[in-house]
Amino acid sequence: MKKLILTTAALALSAGMAMADTVRMGTEGAYPPYNFINDAGEVDGFEREVGDELCKRAGLTCEWVKNDWDSIIPNLVSGNYDTIIAGMSITPERDEVIDFTQDYFPPAASAYVAASADADIMDVVSAQTATLQAGFVADSGATLVEFATPEETIAAVRNGEASAVFADKDFLVPIVEESNGELMFVGEDVALGSGIGVGVRESDAELKGKLDNAITSMKADGSLTALIKKWFGDDAVHYGEDGSVVTN
């Protein structure tokens, strides 16, 4: 669940586009299982399935657009696509520039991963540039080393450039499991953010309303929880029929 921190106060310009029946869904395509590019070269993952279902329920046609994380908000504001559905947590800083639907994924844990059980998480810690995790590390007193992509943050631990990486736990779990003991979780999990929502331009109130209604519908009939469990496991935090967050 990726959490962007705005580093500038720019981006006040609104695209001012009227909402069309075809909605361009912007995503990073590099943060499994939330979103990634599959072997056929198409956007895939939890958010692809959620986004397609939201568009279906809202009576919209979806087109998927891949965009790098560090420019994903500027390119929404400038009109290169109509939504951001990319593991982006809802934060007050972002809400000053764009709007958000209600959350479609509950607040989840961030975690540290290292190559040794006794790694010092107050030493040098890697995180993806412009994320809530990067901000947390900087504020913690550890030395932050930032990278443009999540893959680079893991590589920094493997090559000894960082003592640990701090990222969404859901992203880290399969990496740890596939490392055959080379990587492991260290320290305590940390709860960050207020859940993940769909980002839209502040001028697109109609689109926001349609997506909000579709998310409410998916929570109520259990289909959103089914997708969360499909991609994140049966023990994942999910939603009750009333939209409340359920933990196992």
Side-chain angles (χ1 to χ4, degrees):
M1 211 179 287
K2 191 120 25 135
K3 298 126 182 166
L4 179 72
I5 291 179
L6 294 178
T7 57
T8 69
L11 313 178
L13 186 64
S14 171
M17 290 174 49
M19 190 190 69
D21 288 339
T22 298
V23 174
R24 298 162 298 168
M25 311 288 273
T27 195
E28 183 185 15
Y31 209 67
Y34 294 96
N35 57 81
F36 58 92
I37 304 301
N38 63 25
D39 292 340
E42 299 176 344
V43 174
D44 204 340
F46 167 70
E47 288 172 319
R48 173 63 191 262
E49 292 201 48
V50 170
D52 284 349
E53 183 62 22
L54 292 179
C55 283
K56 178 181 177 182
R57 294 186 185 217
L60 304 168
T61 299
C62 280
E63 292 180 356
W64 288 87
V65 179
K66 182 180 179 299
N67 194 93
D68 290 342
W69 177 253
D70 59 1
S71 62
I72 203 164
I73 285 182
N75 282 328
L76 170 69
V77 174
S78 62
N80 290 346
Y81 34 81
D82 306 302
T83 74
I84 294 172
I85 179 164
M88 181 177 286
S89 286
I90 303 164
T91 68
E93 294 86 355
R94 293 178 191 138
D95 202 35
E96 293 179 359
V97 179
I98 63 173
D99 237 340
F100 283 97
T101 64
Q102 63 176 294
D103 55 288
Y104 60 84
F105 195 93
S110 295
Y112 293 93
V113 162
S116 170
D118 60 358
D120 184 1
I121 60 173
M122 295 304 294
D123 187 18
V124 179
V125 178
S126 61
Q128 188 173 11
T129 300
T131 60
L132 282 185
Q133 286 91 348
F136 179 86
V137 171
D139 290 341
S140 74
T143 298
L144 169 67
V145 56
E146 295 181 273
F147 295 92
T149 68
E151 292 81 5
E152 289 174 297
T153 67
I154 304 298
V157 175
R158 294 184 188 274
N159 65 28
E161 189 173 352
S163 299
V165 55
F166 188 58
D168 289 312
K169 190 169 186 178
D170 291 320
F171 167 71
L172 293 170
V173 165
I175 293 172
V176 171
E177 291 177 347
E178 294 166 9
S179 73
N180 296 317
E182 179 186 354
L183 298 174
M184 61 203 71
F185 288 102
V186 295
E188 300 293 329
D189 292 353
V190 180
L192 296 175
S194 302
I196 296 174
V198 180
V200 298
R201 287 182 290 274
E202 292 184 334
S203 59
D204 283 343
E206 183 182 354
L207 174 59
K208 176 182 179 294
K210 288 188 175 185
L211 293 174
D212 266 328
N213 290 338
I215 294 170
T216 297
S217 172
M218 291 186 70
K219 288 178 178 178
D221 67 14
S223 57
L224 186 52
T225 286
L227 287 176
I228 290 172
K229 291 187 174 184
K230 172 184 175 180
W231 287 98
F232 299 94
D234 289 338
D235 293 333
V237 177
H238 57 276
Y239 296 102
E241 292 181 357
D242 61 353
S244 61
V245 176
V246 178
T247 57
N248 294 321

